[in-house]
Amino acid sequence: MTMNCFSILPGILTIFRSGSILLFLILIISGVQVYAQPSPIRLTETVQAGGFTIAAAGKASPLLIDTADATVVRIAATALSSDVKLVTGLAPAIHDQPTAIPYAVIIGTLGHNKLIDALAAKGALPVAQVKGKWETFCITIVNNPTKNIQKALVIAGSDPRGTAFGVFELSKIMGVSPWVWWADAMPQHRAAMYLSAGVSIIGPPSVKYRGIFINDEDWGLQPWAAKTFEPETGDIGPKTYAKVFELLLRLKANLIWPAMHPSTNPFYHYPRNKQVAADYAIVTGSSHAEPMMRNNVGEWDKKTMGDFNYLTNKPTITRYWEERVKESSLNEVIYSLGMRGVHDSGMEGVKNPKDAVPLLEGIFTDQRNMLKRHIDKDVTKVPQAFTAYKEVLDIYDNNLKVPDDVTLVWPDDNYGYIQRLSNEPEKQRAGGSGVYYHASYWGRPHDYLWLGTAHPGLMREEMMKAYDSKADRLWVLNVGDIKPIEYNMEFFLDMAFNATLFKDSKYTKQHLLTWAGNLFGKDKAPAIQQVLWQYYQLAFERKPEYMGWSQTEPTTKTSYTTYNHFFYGDEAQRRIDQYDSLERAVKALRASIRSNDADAFYELVYYPVRGASLMNKKFLYRDKSYYYARQNRLSAYDYVRLSKLAYDSIVQETNWYNTQLAGGKWKNILSMSPRNLPVYQEPVLTPFTTDSSAVWGVAPEGDSTAAGSRQTLQLPAFDALNRQQYFIDLFLTNATTVNWTAAITDQRIRLSAVSGTLSPTAGKSQVRIWVEIDWRAGAAGSPLSDQISFTGAGKTYAVSVTGTPLSTGQASYQGFIENNGLISMYATHYSWSKMTAAGQWKVLDDLGYTGRSLQASFLQQPTITVTEDAIKKNNPWVAYDFYTFSADTPIVTVFSLPTHPLHKAYSVRYALSLDDGPLTIVDFRTAGRSEEWKQNVLRNSAIRKTMMPAISGGKHTLKIYSIDPGVVIDKILLTLGSTGNAYSTIAETRLKKDTP
């Protein structure tokens, strides 16, 4: 929580309100310093009244600390000195004794710094808002703090980490990004730095323990540390962890789950690691697969220690755990309780979840007895966590008794959707609950270890759902190698520190805008925000790592995407065009970015965007080569070349990242093919030959057959209400030149071009003609039946064009309308609604394929038994008016985010009703790692099709009733008869207001 308030004694505001000015004057006369600035400390260009000078005229104000304070305070002060030097070229000296100086920055922890305590005793600091709080600090200016110092900037923390957070908050105010080292984000140079008068009181954080899990580090952090940054260790060791811990402090985080893959030696392998953690005041923990701080992968030797089976090998296992408890006793630790297999696998020696319950409860007792013996006799004071990950959740659901003071950690499903949150009794537990969340993952159905593409809108929705469910004790983010997950990591940790800001879904984009502005300047921020947001949106629809339509565990070959090249305006090309636009934008930005920001821009913006674009093009161009070869298009050969070029460009960009970026600082940090999965390899191109005998051909939208293989060519039907636009492709089948012309009879038909030349030159062997109808021209109001004749090289192709001047017969109607058997509706664009005191559908901005989604609120109580009468009477609903022009039996397809039930009392249900008819209850809950779940998370969409009662042409209404909280609906399709398949969003079929 962040507070910007008066730094005054409690009650001063009451004094003013009551008019007791005399008492206020007495306080001033008695020496109590009373602040009248409500504003937070901020950077200024010039000296201001009551302000403070950090550096000016060749001098930097020294930093004062106390030797009795924690080591992390000196570490933070040293970093601050370096930050000031980075901005101004002047490095403040660090003293531990006050000297005769005009200005000083006093840094310390209440109760551990004599000077800070003296100022607090005199009422010069807002002690009441800081003392005794968790990780809270204030930054304020004090006049004459000692007889030797005229003015001081005071950073006072409630505890050592709070003090460190305050120091790094000052660095941020100075313009030094938390990513100054990890992403080479250089601050703007200033000849002088001044601060305004004011006070900042920040804390306590929303979530008590906030941190990261370094995981799957085999292709990035480990080889970089071992070969580039820390070759003396040849591993992720104390030097690397010191840099990680500083980053955590700069991001106001306090927890690490260390790297634990076989490629990395266990954290405790290097004695210095635990000392570095203690020095930086970082809490150490361990993952769901590492009980009692033990890294089983690197520390359990089956040959010498036997099976990791508590039933048959308990003495060895307990001795193994107890040794680590002793070794970690001097560190601040959160101990993971329980037991799984040696690595990410189920517990040995049990047949099923029910059999595991008594064994696991006995393990809890044994583990807690160790903590009593070596950490604290009152074991409830020792932080402990139990993570219900994968099969462990099944054990928990068999009535496992977890000690009340132990924190329950709820995991997501590895793909961003939290599997379970606390019910009402669980919310009352003393240990509270938390969340283990992924921004990087190795496993089925497919890894995403290359780029950071976790959508901020989804992260906000899921984590704020967790926060509202009282999961505020511990948040851990799986960040893989840290790079290139930088923004996801900062977004997550900012949310954990101050969740209040994220209550409004609109803040998601604002956070990205602020982040971009802090790094690259306010002038560049809007353009960078727009680029990155579109990058996340496209990846939400399909991550770059999933574009091969392959899977892993078991690993399958890549296959063709399901983006449609022939319907809906060529949705595959639309995705290519969107990435083309992003690439043009990042290239233009890169050319205009200041030289100081060049490396950071490449790491944080350019490489992720370009890499994602190239991966998409590699596969979509491959697909075009295949489909167009079947049509005998000469351009199929162009797409072979473009697909290969996209792959080669990924290789080049990644090589530049690893060898040239920041002078080679990041050599070995980035792999473009983690685990060497098929999706990362050179494109597999199906050999083909084309029949060139036709010379050239025509393919209208909706026709995927070879040129000349159909007797008639026809575009989908047009109408005056939907005002469709369709394409016709003209293409060479032979390496020759063809001059073509187009002729029409009905002047209402509009073509984007009526003549042109096809040539075998790359990119010119085909042309796309767009066709639309001007219903105001010519014989307005009459049906359309004509053809477009394309003539060239002695051949003529005729494409039939038909259209109808449809009407709803209702001049005021503004709802959805049928378009050739299809009605497309975005969930948030409902026509009308009913909300209730018990619950509502609420709009979530910046989430979903459509950019906004509807979420069923959590206000309702669990509905165990649902009846049609009760739902219709009590539950909130949204209604969508639509108009059809044909009679048929409609199929309603609802696209939801593949969320999981909020907790055991719920499922993920909604109900459909057409024209207030009978309800159909739909439940899209999935079990385990089913094939449906796999497809859901790969596409970020749960799809349910429901056959509805037959309807006639005319106006109708679809209602969607809320049943379970947390359900998020993105879009709805209603189909009458057969329509073309689409992977991405189909444009809404809404009546245009200016339609004739």
Side-chain angles (χ1 to χ4, degrees):
M1 181 182 302
T2 302
M3 297 177 289
N4 300 319
C5 55
F6 292 100
S7 179
I8 54 179
L9 291 179
I12 292 296
L13 292 179
T14 304
I15 292 170
F16 275 112
R17 294 190 189 104
S18 64
S20 302
I21 301 300
L22 178 60
L23 179 55
F24 177 63
L25 293 174
I26 292 172
L27 286 170
I28 295 177
I29 295 170
S30 65
V32 173
Q33 183 167 351
V34 180
Y35 291 87
Q37 298 90 2
S39 301
I41 295 285
R42 59 184 177 84
L43 200 66
T44 61
E45 297 294 328
T46 59
V47 181
Q48 294 187 357
F52 183 82
T53 301
I54 296 177
K59 294 182 179 179
S61 297
L63 313 180
L64 299 184
I65 61 175
D66 193 317
T67 55
D69 220 329
T71 303
V72 69
V73 174
R74 180 174 288 277
I75 289 173
T78 302
L80 178 61
S81 178
S82 297
D83 290 350
V84 173
K85 183 178 181 181
L86 196 60
V87 176
T88 66
L90 304 170
I94 301 175
H95 301 294
D96 52 27
Q97 292 293 332
T99 57
I101 48 179
Y103 295 96
V105 180
I106 302 173
I107 301 168
T109 308
L110 288 167
H112 298 274
N113 183 297
K114 298 182 183 65
L115 190 49
I116 294 281
D117 290 343
L119 291 173
K122 291 195 296 185
L125 300 176
V127 177
Q129 290 114 320
V130 177
K131 187 176 181 180
K133 304 290 179 66
W134 179 262
E135 296 177 349
T136 301
F137 63 87
C138 69
I139 306 175
T140 190
I141 297 169
V142 177
N143 294 320
N144 301 311
T146 72
K147 62 181 180 181
N148 295 323
I149 301 174
Q150 297 174 19
K151 182 176 289 190
L153 178 71
V154 179
I155 303 173
S158 62
D159 50 36
R161 270 196 301 271
T163 304
F165 293 163
V167 170
F168 288 121
E169 179 68 16
L170 177 58
S171 289
K172 287 180 69 174
I173 292 170
M174 291 167 12
V176 179
S177 166
W179 300 100
V180 60
W181 192 87
W182 275 96
D184 306 294
M186 295 297 105
Q188 179 183 345
H189 175 76
R190 298 176 182 273
M193 278 199 298
Y194 308 98
L195 296 176
S196 67
V199 59
S200 296
I201 302 173
I202 297 179
S206 300
V207 177
K208 186 171 185 178
Y209 295 107
R210 314 162 306 283
I212 63 170
F213 179 21
I214 296 173
N215 194 218
D216 309 323
E217 68 276 8
D218 312 49
W219 301 274
L221 195 66
Q222 203 283 333
W224 168 79
K227 300 174 184 178
T228 306
F229 185 67
E230 199 172 354
E232 65 275 16
T233 305
D235 203 355
I236 300 174
K239 182 179 177 183
T240 304
Y241 276 117
K243 286 296 185 182
V244 173
F245 296 160
E246 181 182 319
L247 174 63
L248 291 177
L249 293 176
R250 287 181 181 271
L251 292 171
K252 297 186 180 70
N254 58 15
L255 174 65
I256 186 76
W257 286 2
M260 46 74 73
H261 261 224
S263 61
T264 308
N265 277 316
F267 186 76
Y268 280 87
H269 177 82
Y270 304 104
R272 179 69 185 149
N273 279 352
K274 66 176 182 178
Q275 185 58 53
V276 172
D279 290 345
Y280 279 80
I282 295 298
V283 182
T284 53
S286 56
S287 73
H288 51 84
E290 301 172 277
M292 305 306 284
M293 295 299 294
R294 275 293 191 179
N295 180 339
N296 299 326
V297 172
E299 295 181 317
W300 184 264
D301 185 353
K302 184 175 181 177
K303 291 181 180 179
T304 61
M305 303 166 77
D307 292 333
F308 196 62
N309 185 321
Y310 208 71
L311 289 170
T312 62
N313 199 12
K314 177 176 177 179
T316 305
I317 295 172
T318 54
R319 185 164 56 249
Y320 167 74
W321 285 340
E322 194 147 19
E323 287 172 357
R324 181 51 45 79
V325 173
K326 294 176 185 176
E327 189 178 5
S328 62
S329 61
L330 297 180
N331 282 86
E332 195 173 354
V333 174
I334 298 178
Y335 292 93
S336 288
L337 300 189
M339 188 176 187
R340 297 185 69 209
V342 169
H343 190 27
D344 190 358
S345 58
M347 186 164 45
E348 296 179 22
V350 294
K351 296 178 181 179
N352 52 54
K354 187 175 181 180
D355 286 346
V357 170
L359 178 60
L360 203 52
E361 290 178 350
I363 289 171
F364 289 156
T365 300
D366 294 341
Q367 290 171 334
R368 285 162 66 83
N369 283 337
M370 296 176 199
L371 299 177
K372 289 178 182 179
R373 288 193 294 271
H374 303 290
I375 308 298
D376 196 315
K377 291 181 180 180
D378 184 354
V379 73
T380 64
K381 294 181 179 178
V382 181
Q384 301 153 71
F386 175 74
T387 304
Y389 187 74
K390 291 184 179 176
E391 81 289 342
V392 181
L393 183 57
D394 293 331
I395 300 173
Y396 179 79
D397 282 342
N398 273 271
N399 203 28
L400 179 72
K401 299 295 189 297
V402 179
D404 187 66
D405 58 282
V406 175
T407 301
L408 289 176
V409 180
W410 304 114
D412 69 346
D413 60 3
N414 305 316
Y415 293 85
Y417 297 95
I418 298 172
Q419 290 189 286
R420 172 83 59 80
L421 289 165
S422 297
N423 57 27
E424 292 307 314
E426 288 164 342
K427 289 177 185 178
Q428 309 308 314
R429 298 177 72 260
S433 66
V435 175
Y436 167 44
Y437 199 81
H438 287 76
S440 175
Y441 182 65
W442 162 341
R444 71 185 73 157
H446 203 285
D447 304 358
Y448 55 105
L449 302 172
W450 177 37
L451 300 177
T453 53
H455 196 285
L458 176 62
M459 293 178 73
R460 189 217 73 88
E461 183 272 328
E462 287 292 289
M463 295 311 299
M464 292 310 297
K465 179 170 68 177
Y467 186 75
D468 289 340
S469 297
K470 308 302 180 186
D472 58 4
R473 186 63 57 88
L474 178 151
W475 285 10
V476 176
L477 181 68
N478 187 320
V479 298
D481 295 307
I482 296 178
K483 302 182 72 63
I485 312 289
E486 295 98 336
Y487 179 68
N488 287 151
M489 181 172 163
E490 183 166 351
F491 182 86
F492 181 90
L493 293 175
D494 281 356
M495 188 160 43
F497 192 85
N498 189 355
T500 302
L501 289 173
F502 295 82
K503 290 279 189 179
D504 186 347
S505 59
K506 291 186 177 68
Y507 184 72
T508 309
K509 271 189 179 178
Q510 179 59 48
H511 184 277
L512 181 57
L513 180 68
T514 302
W515 181 82
N518 289 341
L519 285 164
F520 304 110
K522 291 183 178 180
D523 59 325
K524 297 289 190 297
I528 292 172
Q529 180 216 40
Q530 185 175 3
V531 163
L532 287 178
W533 191 260
Q534 183 67 356
Y535 161 80
Y536 286 118
Q537 277 293 105
L538 289 169
F540 185 79
E541 187 175 290
R542 193 82 180 187
K543 286 183 183 292
E545 293 91 340
Y546 307 161
M547 283 301 295
W549 255 254
S550 51
Q551 293 189 19
T552 191
E553 298 180 12
T555 298
T556 62
K557 295 179 180 179
T558 60
S559 59
Y560 298 103
T561 77
T562 57
Y563 282 98
N564 203 314
H565 296 255
F566 302 103
F567 287 86
Y568 306 112
D570 187 347
E571 64 169 346
Q573 186 60 50
R574 186 166 63 247
R575 188 167 174 88
I576 291 170
D577 293 343
Q578 288 172 312
Y579 274 114
D580 270 340
S581 177
L582 287 185
E583 283 202 66
R584 287 193 298 271
V586 293
K587 288 176 180 177
L589 281 165
R590 190 182 184 194
S592 67
I593 215 83
R594 60 178 181 159
S595 58
N596 221 25
D597 292 334
D599 290 340
F601 183 80
Y602 187 89
E603 296 168 53
L604 300 173
V605 182
Y606 185 84
Y607 181 87
V609 170
R610 182 146 161 78
S613 175
L614 292 168
M615 181 66 85
N616 274 265
K617 289 177 178 178
K618 181 178 79 170
F619 286 105
L620 294 174
Y621 285 149
R622 177 210 60 178
D623 290 2
K624 284 199 176 294
S625 75
Y626 171 74
Y627 290 120
Y628 287 0
R630 294 172 62 186
Q631 291 186 318
N632 290 311
R633 298 197 195 193
L634 191 65
S635 62
Y637 297 98
D638 292 341
Y639 289 112
V640 168
R641 177 182 58 81
L642 290 170
S643 179
K644 290 181 177 178
L645 178 61
Y647 171 79
D648 291 341
S649 297
I650 296 173
V651 174
Q652 293 167 7
E653 293 288 3
T654 307
N655 182 62
W656 198 91
Y657 198 120
N658 282 318
T659 60
Q660 304 300 313
L661 177 66
K665 174 181 176 181
W666 298 111
K667 187 176 182 180
N668 303 304
I669 193 70
L670 194 66
S671 170
M672 58 166 279
S673 57
R675 282 224 287 170
N676 229 18
L677 295 179
V679 70
Y680 300 115
Q681 305 310 305
E682 289 190 66
V684 178
L685 297 153
T686 304
F688 62 85
T689 57
T690 57
D691 179 359
S692 61
S693 60
V695 182
W696 72 290
V698 172
E701 180 166 348
D703 188 351
S704 60
T705 57
S709 66
R710 292 185 62 177
Q711 296 297 314
T712 60
L713 298 173
Q714 181 159 355
L715 284 171
F718 292 87
D719 68 68
L721 294 181
N722 285 288
R723 295 165 57 188
Q724 299 91 340
Q725 184 185 62
Y726 299 121
F727 67 82
I728 302 173
D729 286 349
L730 280 56
F731 52 87
L732 292 177
T733 66
N734 198 339
T736 186
T737 298
V738 172
N739 295 313
W740 63 270
T741 59
I744 56 173
T745 301
D746 195 318
Q747 297 305 306
R748 290 177 292 178
I749 301 174
R750 298 284 189 256
L751 305 180
S752 60
V754 295
S755 64
T757 300
L758 299 173
S759 75
T761 306
K764 296 185 178 180
S765 67
Q766 64 183 12
V767 65
R768 177 158 286 175
I769 309 301
W770 288 99
V771 184
E772 55 187 333
I773 308 301
D774 183 355
W775 290 97
R776 297 178 178 83
S782 64
L784 173 69
S785 181
D786 197 5
Q787 64 181 23
I788 308 169
S789 297
F790 294 97
T791 303
K795 298 184 69 172
T796 298
Y797 292 95
V799 180
S800 295
V801 181
T802 60
T804 307
L806 295 176
S807 171
T808 63
Q810 302 175 19
S812 62
Y813 181 76
Q814 294 294 327
F816 296 94
I817 53 174
E818 177 190 345
N819 179 1
N820 287 325
L822 179 73
I823 299 168
S824 175
M825 304 177 280
Y826 294 175
T828 56
H829 293 168
Y830 52 85
S831 306
W832 36 309
S833 66
K834 183 190 85 171
M835 306 302 174
T836 70
Q840 58 185 295
W841 288 103
K842 66 177 182 179
V843 173
L844 296 180
D845 289 287
D846 306 320
L847 178 62
Y849 281 32
T850 63
R852 299 174 85 216
S853 299
L854 275 186
Q855 183 181 52
S857 75
F858 322 138
L859 302 177
Q860 307 165 82
Q861 293 301 311
T863 306
I864 307 302
T865 303
V866 294
T867 64
E868 180 163 329
D869 289 344
I871 291 173
K872 283 190 171 184
K873 179 180 178 181
N874 302 319
N875 290 29
W877 49 258
V878 285
Y880 303 85
D881 290 338
F882 64 92
Y883 200 99
T884 64
F885 303 101
S886 55
D888 210 323
T889 303
I891 295 175
V892 174
T893 305
V894 177
F895 299 78
S896 308
L897 268 62
T899 54
H900 300 284
L902 195 63
H903 55 69
K904 287 181 65 176
Y906 295 111
S907 193
V908 277
R909 297 167 296 179
Y910 53 84
L912 302 176
S913 174
L914 187 58
D915 295 332
D916 284 325
L919 288 183
T920 300
I921 296 176
V922 180
D923 191 341
F924 58 89
R925 182 175 186 170
T926 55
R929 295 184 170 194
S930 65
E931 187 57 34
E932 182 185 9
W933 169 80
K934 291 176 184 178
Q935 295 306 318
N936 285 355
V937 296
L938 289 172
R939 67 192 171 208
N940 277 313
S941 187
I943 302 173
R944 279 285 189 270
K945 295 178 182 291
T946 304
M947 181 80 73
M948 304 302 288
I951 58 173
S952 59
K955 183 182 175 183
H956 302 278
T957 300
L958 175 71
K959 285 184 179 178
I960 303 181
Y961 289 83
S962 167
I963 297 179
D964 292 307
V967 169
V968 180
I969 296 178
D970 191 1
K971 56 183 181 175
I972 305 107
L973 288 181
L974 190 147
T975 53
L976 301 160
S978 177
T979 59
N981 293 323
Y983 178 86
S984 59
T985 298
I986 297 173
E988 282 190 299
T989 57
R990 298 180 78 181
L991 190 62
K992 311 290 192 302
K993 289 185 178 180
D994 58 344
T995 300

